[in-house]
Amino acid sequence: MTDVARSIRPRRSNLAVPGSSPKMLDKAKGLLADQVFMDIEDAVAPLAKPDARKNIVAALNEGGYDGKVRSVRVNDWTTEWTYLDVIEVVSGAGANLDCIMLPKVQGPEQIRALDMLLTQIEKSEGLDVGRIGIEAQIENAMGLTMVDEIAAASPRVETIIFGPADFMASINMKSLVVGEQPPGYDVGDAYHYILMRILMAARAYDKQAIDGPYLQIKDLDGYTRVAERSAALGFDGKWVLHPDQIAAANEIFSPRQDDYDHAELILDAYEWYTSAAGGARGAAMLGDEMIDEASRKMALVIAGKGRAAGMLPDRPSLCSVVRRPSRGAAIVLVGVAIIALASPVVTLSLAPWLSAAIMGGCAAGFAVGATRALLGDRGDVGHRITCISALWLPVACGQVGLSVSLGSDIVLMLPVFAVPLVASVAWMNAGAGLWTPVRSSAL
């Protein structure tokens, strides 16, 4: 097959929808799941499978799943339904399909067989060869022992999925509650090895790792607890069987806003510090934290998940250099406020020539700082002067009204703008350790 470039698709929440229910297929369009997979396997009775294929083809061609990954779970290769599932769905709606999910995968040859069948259908139907991905579901002991070979079997493979119910049965686990710890296992996590084994194979071959379902659909606390376990390891998402589970999955498998913001800040700062303008340093201090190449790699993971989830940095748009609230930062802002209130009275009492001199000096200083920032020198005073303009502008606008009310003329109004700017820069430099320079694209 043709090896096509594959983008990482967000799969925090993977909604299972039975293909035998046109009502549920239609309802899924309006739900906020990252992926919708239409099932022809366990959720559909044998006699209902032919109609389920037709329902799925109709739903895919009708559309309405914008922004979602569209996948179809076919039956596994040990059944008599697999080839018809693939042929009818891909021939009928291949242009509107993203992936085929293959359950109970036990070896790489099963992935290669599906790859070959997909390639033949794509060529026959005039579809882009290699575009449709494969999701491999690991549901038994044999599949887990072969998971590395399965992950590497085809460039089409996008995800490795843990199927807990069938897996528990395959190893004779003493539990009927899917996802929960078996009775008597009171130390550690009975699923830890399985999850880590799948995760290692996925990461080794640049695939996504997806956790399977939690069957107690009314127990949202239980779902959250189990999802947090796999999310903590590094899994990319989890199945959802009910709409109430979607919001929990999307939240759990997204970075926290603070973590995402910090990851983006690390990336910005590291790019600056390793540049020629930033000193070409391999390691640097970001506030109280040392960052280096390893920090960048970890930040990339968090930032990548946040970007895929559509998150945006929660930082001020004009100045993103405040690392965290602190007593020093509060002092800076209090100082600016005091000067903003006092400066109209002070400047209106000055002689016009002295006011003009102050204004000229302030304008020159600001021009130097702004020029340094535009040319790439975003450290020390230059960056701070530019950033403080975000605080200075609203203050100055307020002072105009106050100055007019005091009966000032145009000459005396000019330094009203300048005095809080100069004083604010002084305050800012006094708290220099609180401000971290980042590249301009982060502003």
Side-chain angles (χ1 to χ4, degrees):
M1 60 158 280
T2 302
D3 186 1
V4 299
R6 296 191 179 279
S7 60
I8 299 298
R9 317 178 203 249
R11 286 184 169 96
R12 298 168 300 171
S13 50
N14 301 259
L15 177 64
V17 184
S20 55
S21 174
K23 178 181 177 180
M24 291 186 180
L25 290 170
D26 186 65
K27 182 179 179 180
K29 298 175 183 180
L31 300 177
L32 297 179
D34 287 343
Q35 171 167 300
V36 171
F37 76 86
M38 305 169 187
D39 198 9
I40 318 177
E41 199 217 12
D42 287 349
V44 178
L47 293 178
K49 293 184 188 295
D51 286 338
R53 297 176 193 135
K54 294 180 175 62
N55 294 338
I56 289 172
V57 169
L60 288 171
N61 288 334
E62 181 179 304
Y65 300 97
D66 299 341
K68 297 176 174 59
V69 182
R70 302 156 299 178
S71 186
V72 173
R73 182 166 74 157
V74 299
N75 289 275
D76 76 273
W77 277 121
T78 65
T79 72
E80 67 269 31
W81 303 298
T82 315
Y83 82 103
L84 281 179
D85 292 343
V86 177
I87 291 172
E88 289 190 24
V89 169
V90 178
S91 297
N96 300 308
L97 175 68
D98 296 311
C99 292
I100 291 290
M101 185 184 298
L102 185 64
K104 300 178 179 63
V105 181
Q106 301 188 62
E109 67 281 354
Q110 295 181 333
I111 297 294
R112 288 193 286 266
L114 178 56
D115 183 340
M116 184 179 299
L117 181 56
L118 285 172
T119 299
Q120 292 176 347
I121 300 170
E122 287 167 338
K123 289 180 177 180
S124 174
E125 298 295 330
L127 303 172
D128 293 337
V129 175
R131 186 190 62 80
I132 297 174
I134 294 175
E135 300 189 271
Q137 194 172 7
I138 304 301
E139 300 187 74
N140 53 46
M142 180 60 73
L144 190 66
T145 63
M146 301 293 289
V147 67
D148 290 318
E149 291 82 356
I150 291 168
S154 167
R156 289 187 190 264
V157 176
E158 295 188 12
T159 67
I160 307 295
I161 304 168
F162 176 41
D166 283 284
F167 198 98
M168 292 165 66
S170 81
I171 62 173
N172 297 331
M173 184 176 284
K174 294 170 58 178
S175 177
L176 292 176
V177 183
V178 175
E180 293 289 2
Q181 302 301 314
Y185 200 95
D186 55 359
V187 178
D189 178 8
Y191 303 95
H192 181 76
Y193 171 76
I194 304 168
L195 293 171
M196 286 300 294
R197 189 73 185 84
I198 289 173
L199 183 63
M200 292 303 101
R203 294 295 178 258
Y205 295 97
D206 295 323
K207 315 301 180 184
Q208 289 179 298
I210 305 298
D211 195 8
Y214 185 79
L215 300 187
Q216 309 299 312
I217 60 175
K218 293 184 178 181
D219 184 2
L220 194 56
D221 289 339
Y223 179 89
T224 298
R225 182 179 63 255
V226 172
E228 287 176 342
R229 175 189 66 194
S230 55
L233 294 177
F235 271 61
D236 299 288
K238 184 174 177 64
W239 279 16
V240 293
L241 302 182
H242 190 275
D244 290 346
Q245 297 175 334
I246 295 175
N250 287 341
E251 179 180 354
I252 292 166
F253 290 94
S254 296
R256 294 181 304 173
Q257 185 68 49
D258 288 347
D259 292 338
Y260 173 65
D261 290 343
H262 189 52
E264 292 285 10
L265 185 59
I266 289 174
L267 295 177
D268 289 335
Y270 188 72
E271 181 176 338
W272 159 249
Y273 285 125
T274 55
S275 69
R281 287 176 280 176
M285 294 301 296
L286 180 62
D288 298 330
E289 174 186 9
M290 189 193 80
I291 59 172
D292 56 14
E293 175 62 16
S295 306
R296 185 190 70 84
K297 290 177 180 177
M298 291 189 292
L300 273 175
V301 173
I302 302 299
K305 288 188 175 184
R307 293 167 187 170
M311 297 177 70
L312 296 173
D314 186 14
R315 288 181 271 169
S317 59
L318 294 179
C319 180
S320 60
V321 295
V322 181
R323 182 173 181 268
R324 62 183 181 275
S326 64
R327 183 179 65 179
I331 291 173
V332 171
L333 297 178
V334 170
V336 171
I338 292 173
I339 294 167
L341 293 174
S343 59
V345 177
V346 174
T347 55
L348 289 172
S349 67
L350 298 177
W353 67 268
L354 183 55
S355 297
I358 293 175
M359 180 60 186
C362 293
F366 180 75
V368 171
T371 301
R372 291 178 63 190
L374 290 173
L375 293 177
D377 185 1
R378 295 181 174 81
D380 304 325
V381 180
H383 188 63
R384 293 180 202 128
I385 290 176
T386 303
C387 288
I388 202 61
S389 63
L391 297 173
W392 170 53
L393 183 60
V395 170
C397 290
Q399 288 175 338
V400 171
L402 182 57
S403 298
V404 171
S405 69
L406 292 175
S408 64
D409 59 33
I410 187 63
V411 174
L412 293 179
M413 285 174 60
L414 295 178
V416 172
F417 289 90
V419 171
L421 174 60
V422 171
S424 299
V425 170
W427 280 95
M428 207 171 193
N429 282 310
L434 302 171
W435 306 83
T436 303
V438 296
R439 62 183 174 86
S440 58
S441 63
L443 299 181

